[in-house]
Amino acid sequence: MLQVNFIRENFEKAVLGLKKRNFTEAEAVLSQLVQLDDTRKNIQLERDQLQAESNSISKTIGKLMQSGQKEEAEKVKSRTSEIKAQVKILEDQYTQQENDLTQLLYTIPNIPHESVPAGFGADENEVVLTHGDIPELSAEFKSPHWELIKKYDIIDFELGVKIAGAGFPVYKGKGARLQRGLVNFFLDEATKAGYMEVQPPILVNEESGYGTGQLPDKEGQMYFCTEDGLYLIPTAEVPITNLYRNEILQADQLPVKNVGFTPCFRREAGSWGAHVRGLNRLHQFDKVEIVHISRPDKSYEALEQMSGYVQGLLQKLELPYRVLRLCGGDMGFTSALTYDMEVFSAAQERWLEVSSVSNFETYQTTRLKLRFKDEDKKTVLAHTLNGSALALPRIVASILENNQQEGGIKMPAVLVPYLGFEWIS
RNA sequence: AGAGAGGUGUCCGAGUGGUUGAAGGAGCACGCCUGGAAAGCGUGUAUACCCCUAAAGGGUAUCGAGGGUUCGAAUCCCUUCCUCUCUGCCA
């Protein structure tokens, strides 16, 4: 969430930024926010003063008791009951005010970076660059991946339905091997690039959900284990970033660069149709995620670095891709700047999002209380960033579609050592 | 899951109602000392919010978390989470 003090000091900028993401009532909400905070401060001031008086009386009583002046002490006591009642009232008001403030802050998305284009939806995203040639498939070999997986019997949706339900595919034979190979390839690449691998839990508690911004509001997107109060993670971002919740890092620990492989679970209520066939949208899928924790003055450098890293993976996989700078309306609630990487899937003839790389600046760290000590020994909120590197299903879909030919599907050369085969046939 | 023990600052560790944000030690930082280092000596070493700010200074809260008793709680009571030991179960 945003910091009230930042809004106070950058009111106009904040309003303009939020309008860019179509948060039309920005001005009114931000004014209300500042007002709530003003009231909060006033209450705090009054409460603290009364409390201070009460504390000082208590000390006096303590001294009197020690020196045996019991009656004197009793006299002083009577004064405190009045203060106590007052403090209680103010305390309740303060809590109420603080809750209102937090609730309101939860409704305000992150302020977009100045480079973020205004816009309402996917059409207005800015294409930053396109890489690689769009493959032209012959009519003979132009099957969408959902036909290819049947033909070669490598992924079975019906079987998944039997075990769990729609959107839980079963990978078989070379399909399973392809999954495992990709995961290993991604983890190895990340390690080479200086990321530390972590294996986090894939169930998280409520606090973690709040830390990275999935909660409140998006609980509908997550599977929830009511018995234990735990959520299945929608992305490894949640557990990995929360590893650092409530921490104060030393300056020389930054940047933190973690990579983790986890399955991801999404309920994805209500989005079914032609575009979500096959592997395009699933309830469970595998993803390798990279997370950075960065100094504020280095976070955009880190974002570019991450974007470059992800592009490198796509290049090694020989997949044509483009990079989008998301417009205000299409960006996630918590992000300040997001690059989407889309791969062209040649049979569907569509760009498929395979990665989303974002800088959250302090939006997450405010909630996470994730800070570091800078050179002046001042405690400062860090910036968090993350990106998929990469999400498997659509990568699999595009590898299958783009490389189909006479004799089967040819695997990208870089994967062959991981797979132990060159062809799916 | 059952029984017991316990959760204190970066770490170890004292503290069972009264100037305790918290003894003592270690670590760390700075200074002195040294040719250099160690030892030694001295100083400092939490977080959040608020007031006042040029700086300094001050207030409130925080001893796992939440609530209660009390003029006053790290210390007493309740709830809850976690850790350890034993038993049970189990990959």
Side-chain angles (χ1 to χ4, degrees), chain A residues 20 111-117 300 325 331 335-337 359 361:
Chain A
K20 204 151 68 174
I111 297 167
H113 185 259
E114 50 191 22
S115 71
V116 169
Y300 280 94
R325 189 196 305 269
M331 241 182 2
S335 175
L337 176 57
N359 187 353
E361 298 191 359

Side-chain angles (χ1 to χ4, degrees), chain A residues 145-361:
Chain A
H145 69 271
W146 51 86
E147 288 175 11
L148 294 169
I149 60 172
K150 271 203 173 139
K151 182 173 169 189
Y152 296 109
D153 195 24
I154 50 174
I155 302 175
D156 195 326
F157 282 95
E158 283 73 27
L159 206 47
V161 169
K162 176 167 126 185
I163 307 305
F168 294 94
V170 174
Y171 303 85
K172 303 193 294 190
K174 287 185 172 176
R177 189 68 189 264
L178 177 56
Q179 291 281 119
R180 182 154 61 91
L182 279 166
V183 169
N184 285 336
F185 169 65
F186 291 147
L187 288 173
D188 285 353
E189 289 295 311
T191 304
K192 277 189 235 165
Y195 288 90
M196 188 188 73
E197 186 176 343
V198 291
Q199 266 190 43
I202 58 175
L203 270 73
V204 294
N205 55 28
E206 196 181 36
E207 224 182 329
S208 299
Y210 276 94
T212 33
Q214 280 69 28
L215 297 174
D217 290 345
K218 294 188 191 74
E219 45 270 278
Q221 293 279 23
M222 291 190 285
Y223 289 96
F224 182 56
C225 309
T226 47
E227 284 285 289
D228 305 283
L230 296 171
Y231 294 87
L232 273 77
I233 57 168
T235 158
E237 162 196 353
V238 181
I240 296 179
T241 312
N242 271 282
L243 253 24
Y244 302 92
R245 166 153 47 86
N246 251 318
E247 296 288 337
I248 301 176
L249 302 171
Q250 297 305 315
D252 61 12
Q253 291 178 270
L254 299 179
V256 168
K257 292 169 72 178
N258 286 171
V259 62
F261 156 67
T262 68
C264 302
F265 302 90
R266 301 200 179 167
R267 296 186 67 232
E268 304 281 11
S271 46
W272 299 102
H275 278 178
V276 296
R277 285 192 69 175
L279 295 168
N280 290 351
R281 181 159 281 164
L282 302 169
H283 284 311
Q284 176 180 335
F285 63 96
D286 288 334
K287 181 157 67 68
V288 173
E289 183 84 358
I290 50 176
V291 171
H292 278 228
I293 298 166
S294 163
R295 306 169 52 93
D297 55 339
K298 291 275 198 286
S299 67
Y300 280 94
E301 226 169 88
L303 185 69
E304 294 306 320
Q305 199 190 327
M306 293 166 82
S307 160
Y309 171 74
V310 171
Q311 290 180 53
L313 293 178
L314 296 172
Q315 287 166 19
K316 285 176 185 167
L317 292 171
E318 301 163 57
L319 293 167
Y321 67 86
R322 63 180 187 179
V323 178
L324 303 177
R325 189 196 305 269
L326 296 194
C327 72
D330 207 29
M331 241 182 2
F333 196 76
T334 54
S335 175
L337 176 57
T338 296
Y339 291 123
D340 270 9
M341 281 65 178
E342 295 185 334
V343 159
F344 194 80
S345 211
Q348 297 181 68
E349 296 183 300
R350 288 179 56 217
W351 293 98
L352 300 178
E353 182 197 327
V354 294
S355 178
S356 191
V357 184
S358 304
N359 187 353
F360 305 97
E361 298 191 359

Side-chain angles (χ1 to χ4, degrees), chain A residues 135-138 141-148 344-350 397-398 400-404:
Chain A
E136 303 247 349
L137 301 178
S138 65
F141 298 107
K142 199 174 183 178
S143 308
H145 69 271
W146 51 86
E147 288 175 11
L148 294 169
F344 194 80
S345 211
Q348 297 181 68
E349 296 183 300
R350 288 179 56 217
S398 50
L400 297 179
E401 291 186 14
N402 294 12
N403 299 321
Q404 57 183 303

